[in-house]
Amino acid sequence: MSVTLAEPRVEPCIEPSIAGVGDYIALMKPRVMSLVVFTALVGLVVAPGHLHPVIAITALICIAVGAGAAGALNMWYDADIDGRMARTAARPIPSGRVQAGEALAFGLTLAGFSVAVLGLLVNVVAAALLATTIAFYVCVYTMWLKRATPQNIVIGGAAGALPPMIGWAAVTGNVALEPFVLFLIIFFWTPPHFWALSLYRTDDYLRAGIPMLPVVAGATETRRQILLYTLVLAPLGLAPWLLGFAGLAYGITALVTGAVMIVLALRIRAEREGHAACKQMFGFSILYLFLLFAMLLVDRLIPAMSGHFGAWS
Amino acid sequence: MNDATNEQGPETGIRLTEQQQRARRSRSIAIGVSLAILVAIFYIVTLVKGPGVLEHPL
């Protein structure tokens, strides 16, 4: 009996990686990560009860790393469309500095470690929420909604809105109405923010085949939707003050900045040529969210600090 | 020393360029620092929470 040996299969040679530390940091989307950490910090500070500073810092590190993991897994899956868009073509994978498999392994490792450490050292509820956030962002938003429906960033926005709830859960071990209100603010903030961007990046999304609202429904409908979501967002921004877990300074800030958001949304609705109002809305919406959450932080920290210094006098 | 060893051809296999070596070194340092931070976190949290560090009331 003769045995024929198969020809050895020659695997394509993969070049050794040239990815540096900076490329891996870029995979974690540091700007998104900083917003996630900031909103989680606010959830953590607003929550009733006390958390040892070391545990609080541990929780924030885990949330930051978890957000970075979600960013890396998003870049791994979206490498094909990132390469076709001017805004994302220079990212580590499409530019060839990081191989897709490296990004996948990096993202999965960070996700596993961040959830496990948060669960072991802080609490299981916060860890479960972090795992849900990562899974929702990667599996529901990135793998499914982003390429399937113009409602992608509306539903997918839930992932970005969860960090204040994780921060709250890190302190209390549960969730309540207050962090849910913060969740809703970010949830309703996301569509006007991203649709304003997509209005002046429509060609990019069209080239990549992503069904963003301006690509599918047109600019006029997108401008109308931006206004509708902003009209929900502005009163919602007042809710922390109306519900009594934020002070008057927060209320005034939310009122003024909410009014500016509505004015900008009206200007977008009226704009027929150019994208000046869209760019203003995109820039101001970042400031809006930052100011609301910064005021919540100030609201809690100033009385605590004055009490602390008062005890010294 | 056996001359036959020296008479073998040039070394085969993957040879890293200088850029690849630099990148690998920076990645190795980053992994080391990350592991050191992880160890430090577990050590400090254990000091803060005491021996029941991994116990959580359900």
Side-chain angles (χ1 to χ4, degrees):
Chain A
M1 193 175 91
S2 67
V3 177
T4 310
L5 292 175
E7 284 289 312
R9 191 164 159 233
V10 180
E11 293 290 340
C13 180
I14 298 171
E15 276 287 302
S17 179
I18 55 162
V21 176
D23 295 317
Y24 281 95
I25 291 172
L27 275 181
M28 296 170 77
K29 297 191 176 179
R31 279 193 298 181
V32 176
M33 209 161 80
S34 61
L35 192 64
V36 166
V37 170
F38 179 59
T39 54
L41 170 69
V42 172
L44 206 137
V45 170
V46 169
H50 173 74
L51 194 64
H52 192 285
V54 169
I55 310 295
I57 291 168
T58 304
L60 288 175
I61 291 172
C62 289
I63 293 166
V65 174
L73 292 170
N74 168 274
M75 284 203 203
W76 159 71
Y77 193 82
D78 277 351
D80 56 338
I81 52 178
D82 281 350
R84 294 201 291 267
M85 290 169 53
R87 188 173 67 88
T88 52
R91 282 179 174 176
I93 304 175
S95 65
R97 296 193 308 278
V98 174
Q99 289 153 18
E102 290 177 308
L104 173 64
F106 181 62
L108 289 175
T109 306
L110 292 189
F113 266 90
S114 59
V115 172
V117 173
L118 191 63
L120 287 170
L121 298 185
V122 183
N123 69 54
V124 179
V125 177
L129 282 170
L130 181 62
T132 306
T133 306
I134 297 169
F136 194 88
Y137 185 70
V138 177
C139 301
V140 179
Y141 170 69
T142 304
M143 293 182 174
W144 176 30
L145 297 172
K146 187 171 178 180
R147 299 169 194 236
T149 166
Q151 295 302 309
N152 47 16
I153 51 134
V154 179
I155 307 165
L162 277 167
M165 294 183 94
I166 306 173
W168 179 285
V171 180
T172 63
N174 57 43
V175 287
L177 177 67
E178 293 92 331
F180 186 64
V181 168
L182 301 183
F183 169 91
L184 286 178
I185 290 173
I186 303 176
F187 185 80
F188 280 95
W189 166 88
T190 307
H193 172 72
F194 277 107
W195 283 337
L197 170 76
S198 67
L199 273 171
Y200 62 91
R201 295 279 188 184
T202 307
D203 290 346
D204 250 11
Y205 289 110
L206 190 64
R207 205 177 313 121
I210 303 173
M212 288 296 277
L213 196 60
V215 175
V216 176
T220 308
E221 176 60 16
T222 307
R223 292 169 195 274
R224 193 179 73 87
Q225 296 264 349
I226 287 175
L227 179 60
L228 290 177
Y229 274 89
T230 308
L231 288 173
V232 176
L233 173 66
L236 200 60
L238 292 167
W241 173 54
L242 296 172
L243 290 170
F245 66 94
L248 185 62
Y250 171 90
I252 293 168
T253 307
L255 192 68
V256 174
T257 53
V260 175
M261 285 288 285
I262 291 175
V263 169
L264 287 174
L266 286 168
R267 284 187 56 195
I268 287 178
R269 181 94 169 95
E271 199 170 53
R272 288 287 167 265
E273 283 186 10
H275 298 296
C278 297
K279 288 176 181 171
Q280 280 177 344
M281 169 63 112
F282 180 72
F284 185 78
S285 60
I286 297 170
L287 183 66
Y288 171 76
L289 196 67
F290 172 77
L291 282 175
L292 289 196
F293 278 75
M295 286 311 295
L296 283 171
L297 208 58
V298 169
D299 227 42
R300 286 298 161 116
L301 291 182
I302 285 184
M305 285 171 76
S306 60
H308 178 74
F309 289 121
W312 280 66
S313 59
Chain B
M1 196 173 165
N2 187 356
D3 284 347
T5 314
N6 295 335
E7 285 168 9
Q8 284 177 351
E11 200 177 311
T12 55
I14 296 171
R15 302 188 76 176
L16 298 184
T17 64
E18 201 160 308
Q19 187 192 14
Q20 288 166 342
Q21 282 179 338
R22 268 203 313 273
R24 186 174 66 175
R25 183 174 161 74
S26 72
R27 290 197 303 269
S28 301
I29 291 171
I31 292 169
V33 170
S34 305
L35 286 174
I37 291 171
L38 190 63
V39 170
I41 287 174
F42 269 86
Y43 180 71
I44 297 168
V45 172
T46 306
L47 289 181
V48 168
K49 291 180 84 171
V53 62
L54 300 181
E55 288 172 12
H56 300 294
L58 290 175

